[in-house]
Each structure stands twice: as structure tokens, then as C-alpha cells.
Amino acid sequence: MNYKEKEIKQGIKFHTIDTNKFKTNLMAVFLTTKLTRENVTKNALISLLLRRGSQKMKTQEKISKQMENLYGAIFECGLDKTGDNQVIKLYIETINDKYLPQSGENMLKTAMDNLLELAFNPYVENDGFSKEYLNQEKNTIKQLIEARTDNKARYSQERCIEEMYKDEPYGLFTYGYEEDLDKITNKELYNAYLEMLKNSKIDILVSGNFSEGNSNVDEIIMKQINEKNIQPRNIDVYVENEVKEPVTEKVVRETMDVSQGKLVIGLDVTNLEPEDKAVASVYNAILGGGANSKLFQNVREKASLAYSAGSLYIKNKNSIVIRSGIEQKNYEKALEIIEKQIDDMKQGNFDETDMKNAKQLIDGR
């Protein structure tokens, strides 16, 4: 596997992964923009509207037909929260040219042209997004917000993060807020999309086997970027790697009519420099990163106090989130044992076997 990265215009990076491991090519566009209370709901709507159509493919039916013409290519559009930024992501996966039933086609070029069309030339009516599409996607966002509590494990983790970062962008809910929806008009949202494009960081990724047939992938992408008139930009995103100061402990309890409770603990990793993030990853793996971790072995296996017990390292926020599913009557005892594992880590009560298991978990071996 060979990875390359280069800036093709200011604020626009192109990434290639040349590998013969798969029979498909994956092409993706990532639009990274600041996460703000004003725009969080708008960006969520934009991510849904970009998959509804473009000027050349005005409906989802036409997009589906085009994907079928590309031998059953897969097109998706989604939204992520990465640190204090929102990322709108679009991708197409197609068969590699090498495996096409007839010669003369350039699947990578055709698929990338479709992907850039959907990302940068959305379907617009009278200088605004389609009112019909917008109203439908407002209902989609409303349903996503209302369904937050359906997955109790995910909801409890999100609530922990919201409380930890109550006055910061990372504390915002990825899909926004229901009270914003009625106020957003189709023209206002399209203008927000245009403004977002001006300042967003753009990353274009292509992964596949380029050793045969598409060795000029760089030239193909550069030509299409110019054809779509995608301009250089001044990037306006939040930069990670802040060094935190110690904070006070805060306890939040929410009551629901459920049989299994969720105990989530958020830890700020303070005084951590950027170069120490690998150390924090190993720390997290020993603490709660897998079946050999302290949390899993001591809270779940030995004490039988939790249905699940583990932890997650949020690298771009220097935070560790401990997650466990417990019977509510076991709250105090489970908390006591979890705190004991944290204290053991402070005292250095782990050995070379713990280190080895943690590194293997991180490496995926």
C-alpha cells in the first residue's frame, strides 16, 4: 500500500491510497467546517440535501440510475463531528477499471465527476434549495433528534460529552436542534451552503489499484477540480491539540424507565502535548480498550457488576470516556471499582504484558 498527500490548491488536499487489496475504487470528498450553534442544524440539513440531487441528477431516482450505469456503484452522504468541526462527507465506491467487462471505460474519472457534481453543484430552484426536499429533510432531522434516546448507550455517551463541553462547540449535538428547523428557509440554507464552501477545508480521497490503467489519477482529479471551478480558499476551522487545565468533578444523573443503567465517566487528559497522544492511546487501551483491559477484567469479569465495560480515547479533544452498562443498584460499587482502576493507572500498576496487549489492540493485530 502506498499513501500520498498533496495540496492541489490552497485549502484543498488530495489523498491517494494505491493498493491492490480490493477490487473496487473508493472516492470521497470531505468538507470540514467550524461547528457553531448558529450553523450546526443548517450543516446537518445541507448534508442531507446534497444526496437528494444535483443540477445534472435532479432526483434520487436519477442518482440511483446513474449508479446502476456505473455497474452498481454505491453513493452515500453523511455527517460527522470531529473535534470542534463538522465534516460533511460524500463518497462513491465503484468497481476497479481492471475488472470491467469491456475496455475503453475510465470508471474512476466518471465516478469522480459524479461525486464532484453532487458535492459542488447541488440541485437548486430559484436561488435556493428545493422547498420540497428541504421540508422532507427537516422531518428527517426532527426524527433523528427525537430518536436520540432509543439507543441508551450512545445517548448516555453523547450526554456526557454535552456536559463536559457545555460551553464549547464539541458539546453541540451533531444533527442540531429541533427549535431551529422552522426558521430555516430554502434560500437562507443555500446561502449558508455557499458561505460554508468558501471557508471549508476540502479533502479529496481516492483509494484503489492505480498501478494499471489509472496511473495518471492526479491529473484526472486536477482537471476535474478546475472544470468544476473549485477555488482556493482561506480555511476557517478549529485546530485541535489544545493543552487543558485541570477541571472540577461534576455529576449528572438522568432517570428513565429502563432495566439497565448506563454509567459514563468523562476524563479530561490535562497537560498533554500533541506528541504525547500515542501515550494516551496506549493508556486508554490498558484501561478499557479491549477484553484484556482493566475495566473489562475487573468490573465485568471479576465483579460481574456490568454488562459491558470499556473506554474510548477521543484523540482530537484529549478526552477519555469510560462506558459501562450496569444495574442501577450496582452504581456505587461499580463506580468504586472503576475509580480503583484509574488510580492503579496513576500508580503505574500495569506490566509489560498489559503494554503488549494494548499495542497489539491499537495496531489491529
Side-chain angles (χ1 to χ4, degrees):
M1 183 177 75
N2 182 30
Y3 169 75
K4 292 192 303 182
E5 171 192 310
K6 71 175 182 178
E7 188 171 54
I8 53 179
K9 289 185 179 181
Q10 183 178 326
I12 306 174
K13 287 187 177 180
F14 178 48
H15 312 259
T16 56
I17 301 174
D18 192 351
T19 175
N20 59 8
K21 189 175 181 179
F22 308 104
K23 294 183 178 180
T24 58
N25 293 333
L26 178 68
M27 287 138 280
V29 173
F30 301 93
L31 306 173
T32 303
T33 186
K34 273 186 173 181
L35 183 59
T36 67
R37 180 62 183 84
E38 179 186 2
N39 291 326
V40 60
T41 310
K42 293 176 184 177
N43 289 338
L45 284 168
I46 289 169
S47 73
L48 295 175
L49 287 166
L50 291 180
R51 70 179 184 182
R52 294 300 301 268
S54 71
Q55 290 303 108
K56 292 182 180 179
M57 298 172 281
K58 298 187 187 325
T59 65
Q60 286 184 308
E61 180 182 4
K62 290 184 177 180
I63 293 173
S64 295
K65 286 182 178 179
Q66 179 62 13
M67 295 304 110
E68 285 300 315
N69 291 337
L70 298 178
Y71 301 94
I74 298 170
F75 166 68
E76 287 292 345
C77 183
L79 183 71
D80 278 335
K81 178 171 69 173
T82 304
D84 291 332
N85 298 304
Q86 260 181 317
V87 183
I88 296 175
K89 54 183 182 180
L90 304 93
Y91 71 84
I92 291 180
E93 185 173 7
T94 69
I95 188 171
N96 189 284
D97 290 353
K98 181 179 179 180
Y99 301 99
L100 289 177
Q102 60 190 49
S103 60
E105 296 184 76
N106 191 325
M107 188 62 61
L108 184 142
K109 181 178 182 299
T110 304
M112 181 55 73
D113 184 63
N114 282 301
L115 185 61
L116 295 179
E117 163 76 12
L118 288 159
F120 299 107
N121 196 21
Y123 179 54
V124 175
E125 297 176 342
N126 301 319
D127 299 322
F129 284 114
S130 162
K131 290 183 179 180
E132 178 186 357
Y133 290 174
L134 176 58
N135 288 333
Q136 290 171 354
E137 298 309 338
K138 282 183 177 181
N139 286 329
T140 301
I141 293 292
K142 183 178 178 181
Q143 290 169 12
L144 286 170
I145 295 171
E146 291 175 345
R148 286 187 69 188
T149 58
D150 291 351
N151 185 323
K152 301 298 187 294
R154 184 173 61 204
Y155 173 72
S156 59
Q157 179 178 320
E158 288 174 350
R159 284 290 297 120
C160 178
I161 289 172
E162 286 174 354
E163 291 296 331
M164 286 179 71
Y165 297 96
K166 200 162 191 174
D167 300 316
E168 299 180 39
Y170 193 60
L172 297 170
F173 180 51
T174 306
Y175 291 97
Y177 299 89
E178 189 174 344
E179 61 264 28
D180 295 346
L181 293 172
D182 289 341
K183 298 178 288 187
I184 299 174
T185 67
N186 64 322
K187 290 187 177 182
E188 177 192 6
L189 188 62
Y190 182 60
N191 288 331
Y193 162 77
L194 295 176
E195 189 63 28
M196 183 266 293
L197 280 188
K198 290 179 184 177
N199 302 311
S200 63
K201 180 169 76 77
I202 298 177
D203 291 276
I204 298 171
L205 169 74
V206 178
S207 173
N209 186 356
F210 310 125
S211 57
E212 298 179 25
N214 278 312
S215 57
N216 62 335
V217 60
D218 291 30
E219 288 80 2
I220 291 173
I221 301 304
M222 192 66 204
K223 184 173 184 292
Q224 291 178 317
I225 288 290
N226 289 328
E227 287 175 352
K228 297 296 180 186
N229 196 30
I230 303 171
Q231 298 297 321
R233 69 267 332 287
N234 295 314
I235 299 174
D236 186 20
V237 297
Y238 291 109
V239 179
E240 56 181 75
N241 296 334
E242 77 261 42
V243 177
K244 301 179 180 181
E245 296 299 325
V247 294
T248 57
E249 181 180 304
K250 179 180 180 181
V251 178
V252 177
R253 294 174 186 247
E254 289 190 10
T255 303
M256 294 183 181
D257 185 16
V258 293
S259 58
Q260 182 188 125
K262 302 296 179 184
L263 172 57
V264 182
I265 302 173
L267 307 175
D268 268 321
V269 185
T270 58
N271 300 319
L272 181 69
E273 298 294 341
E275 60 270 19
D276 296 328
K277 290 195 173 187
V279 176
S281 293
V282 176
Y283 171 98
N284 174 71
I286 296 173
L287 176 64
N292 294 314
S293 69
K294 287 181 172 293
L295 291 175
F296 189 91
Q297 288 297 319
N298 292 284
V299 182
R300 185 183 188 276
E301 295 295 287
K302 294 179 182 178
S304 299
L305 289 174
Y307 303 97
S308 60
S311 62
L312 169 71
Y313 175 44
I314 304 174
K315 183 178 179 181
N316 47 33
K317 291 302 294 181
N318 291 343
S319 298
I320 290 175
V321 178
I322 295 172
R323 306 167 292 184
S324 60
I326 62 171
E327 290 186 27
Q328 297 181 48
K329 64 181 182 181
N330 293 330
Y331 168 76
E332 296 292 346
K333 185 62 176 175
L335 181 60
E336 178 185 335
I337 296 178
I338 289 172
E339 290 177 338
K340 173 67 166 57
Q341 308 317 306
I342 296 172
D343 189 61
D344 277 355
M345 293 298 295
K346 288 181 181 178
Q347 303 303 322
N349 293 332
F350 51 87
D351 55 28
E352 287 300 320
T353 299
D354 294 323
M355 294 282 288
K356 180 181 177 182
N357 290 336
K359 291 177 182 179
Q360 286 179 341
L361 181 71
I362 293 169
D363 289 342
R365 295 199 296 267

